[in-house]
Structure formats: C-alpha cells, structure tokens
C-alpha cells in the first residue's frame, strides 16, 4: 500500500506570496493532519481534516488554511508569506483520527521564504 | 495534554540494545503512549504504541510501568540507521487528533 505523499517536495517563495501544498493520504484513510516543523519551535500541529471538515486547529494565524476533498486528499494554503514561515510542512493520515489510530507521516514539503 | 519528559540525547553502541526512557507522570487512564522517530529532515516514522500492556513489534518493544507513569522504548539490536530523534507522545483525548511532539531524545548509534 502506498504511503502518504506530499507535493511538491521543495518550494522557494518570496515574502508576500502565497503557497499551496498538497497531501495524498494512505488509501482508505479519512483523517489528514498538518504539522509545521522549524528549528526553533519543533513540530507543531496546524490543523486536522476529517470528511472534508476541519475538526481540530492549532494555534496558528488565519494566514494558514486548509481543505479536504471528497477523496480525502488535502491541501494547505499559506497566504502573505513571511520569512518565519520557512519550515518543513508535514502531512499525516490516519483511518478515522481516533485516539487509537496511528498517524502515518509523509516526507514533507520544505518551504523556503526569501 | 499529558506532558512527557525525555533525555535530550543518548549514545548506544552498534549491536547493543538501546533503551530510551520517557516519563509521563500525568497520563490519564485512557491515554495511549506512542513512539515515533525522525531521521534528519524526513517525516516522523511510527514505531510502536501501547496503553497498559507491554508491546512488541518488528521494530521495537515498549515497556510501560504498572502505574503508567513512565515507559521505555527498546531497540534490541541498534544499527547505524537507528540514529534519529525519538519522540515519546501521549495522545490527547479522543476526538482531538493532534500529536504533541516535545523535544525528543537524539539517539546516536556509535560504530
């Protein structure tokens, strides 16, 4: 079974631009979560989607948004990019997002903001 | 969220068992203990999880104390490829599918 895939793997943007990252979960998984990883803050939870609805949200500004499609694929968008948004963005999928469900991570998208 | 405490770093000789401790003294009765690892700049890799009983899979063993206030991840025969940051995570309440990653333990396997 194919794992979680994320595209693109690397991205370079300039301040003020916006960016869209994509995540395809493991087949059959309906929950998709997004995380941001930076050297200073470590791995932080952004939000989770289940059945096309945002179910949980971390403490990030409104510039960070996401959505999920009917096939469970998810996208996250960052508008008005700032230098501090440079990070590794990780997507994780699980069956239904219950506490005993294991989350499996993709390889991440490395975003650099210049 | 139940917080976890892990040593910042550990070394282990190649071929020996690596024992990574984790304290989670405020864990609730229905909270699971999960272990992930992250090799430099890759996505975290799931290792194992447990609730009360000890667990073993092809990668590792998880030993949870009877009072559930601490656990130990055991890699039975560490290899150089096991060099990574290991995260011990206590899952939050049901319905909140977010993992709280602390700083983890940086394990270095030495030849």
């Amino acid at each position: 079974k194919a794992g979680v895939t994320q595209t693109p793997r690397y991205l370079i943007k300039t301040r003020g631009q916006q960016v869209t990252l994509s995540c395809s979960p493991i087949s059959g998984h309906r929950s998709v979560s997004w995380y941001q990883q930076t050297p200073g803050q470590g791995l932080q939870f952004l939000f989770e989607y289940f059945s096309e609805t945002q179910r949980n949200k971390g403490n990030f500004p409104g510039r960070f948004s996401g959505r999920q499609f009917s096939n469970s694929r998810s996208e996250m968008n960052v508008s008005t990019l700032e230098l501090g948004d440079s990070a590794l963005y990780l997507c994780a999928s699980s069956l239904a997002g219950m506490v005993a469900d294991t989350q499996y991570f993709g390889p991440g998208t490395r975003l650099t903001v210049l | 969220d139940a917080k976890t405490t892990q040593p910042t770093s550990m070394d282990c000789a190649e071929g020996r068992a690596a024992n990574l401790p984790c304290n989670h003294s405020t864990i609730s009765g229905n909270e699971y203990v999960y272990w992930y690892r992250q090799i430099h700049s890759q996505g975290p890799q799931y290792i194992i999880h447990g609730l009360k009983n000890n667990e073993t899979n092809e990668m590792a063993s998880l030993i949870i104390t009877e009072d559930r206030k601490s656990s130990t991840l055991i890699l039975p025969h560490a290899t150089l490829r096991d060099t990574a940051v290991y995260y011990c995570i206590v899952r939050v309440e049901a319905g909140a599918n977010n993992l709280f990653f602390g700083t983890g333990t940086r394990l270095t396997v030495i030849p």
Side-chain angles (χ1 to χ4, degrees):
Chain A
K1 197 184 259 192
V4 178
T5 58
Q6 293 186 243
T7 56
R9 293 293 311 280
Y10 301 91
L11 205 50
I12 299 175
K13 292 285 188 180
T14 56
R15 279 188 304 173
Q17 288 187 309
Q18 75 166 13
V19 67
T20 299
L21 311 181
S22 181
C23 172
S24 292
I26 292 171
S27 178
H29 285 193
R30 296 168 61 195
S31 169
V32 174
S33 298
W34 288 89
Y35 295 81
Q36 180 197 64
Q37 185 173 29
T38 60
Q41 299 297 320
L43 263 158
Q44 293 186 289
F45 171 77
L46 279 159
F47 32 65
E48 181 217 0
Y49 284 86
F50 178 77
S51 292
E52 302 178 64
T53 301
Q54 187 180 87
R55 187 163 64 174
N56 199 12
K57 189 176 188 303
N59 189 26
F60 278 81
R63 299 186 297 107
F64 292 82
S65 63
R67 59 178 176 169
Q68 186 181 34
F69 302 95
S70 59
N71 61 358
S72 294
R73 189 177 70 87
S74 177
E75 290 181 346
M76 68 162 283
N77 184 277
V78 187
S79 62
T80 319
L81 283 167
E82 301 176 359
L83 295 179
D85 297 332
S86 294
L88 180 67
Y89 289 88
L90 293 156
C91 161
S93 77
S94 63
L95 276 171
M98 303 308 291
V99 69
D101 286 345
T102 299
Q103 288 191 39
Y104 296 93
F105 284 80
T109 294
R110 171 75 62 184
L111 171 65
T112 301
V113 182
L114 302 175
Chain B
D1 304 356
K3 292 186 183 289
T4 62
T5 304
Q6 299 178 254
T8 303
S9 63
M10 293 180 63
D11 292 339
C12 177
E14 188 178 17
R16 304 295 296 268
N19 296 282
L20 292 91
C22 178
N23 282 324
H24 31 79
S25 58
T26 60
I27 193 171
S28 300
N30 60 349
E31 289 182 320
Y32 286 76
V33 179
Y34 273 77
W35 283 83
Y36 283 80
R37 72 181 182 184
Q38 187 175 26
I39 297 169
H40 183 62
S41 292
Q42 298 181 20
Q45 178 188 21
Y46 165 77
I47 302 173
I48 198 167
H49 74 280
L51 182 63
K52 294 180 182 178
N53 300 321
N54 298 336
E55 302 288 344
T56 296
N57 63 20
E58 64 279 2
M59 286 183 68
S61 295
L62 174 60
I63 308 298
I64 302 175
T65 58
E66 194 170 338
D67 63 8
R68 302 188 70 238
K69 292 185 177 182
S70 66
S71 60
T72 300
L73 177 74
I74 302 172
L75 307 178
H77 304 287
T79 71
L80 299 180
R81 286 180 294 181
D82 292 323
T83 293
V85 177
Y86 287 77
Y87 296 96
C88 169
I89 299 165
V90 173
R91 291 293 297 269
V92 296
E93 68 275 11
N97 194 31
N98 52 309
L99 298 177
F100 177 77
F101 286 81
T103 53
T105 296
R106 182 172 298 279
L107 175 69
T108 302
V109 180
I110 301 170

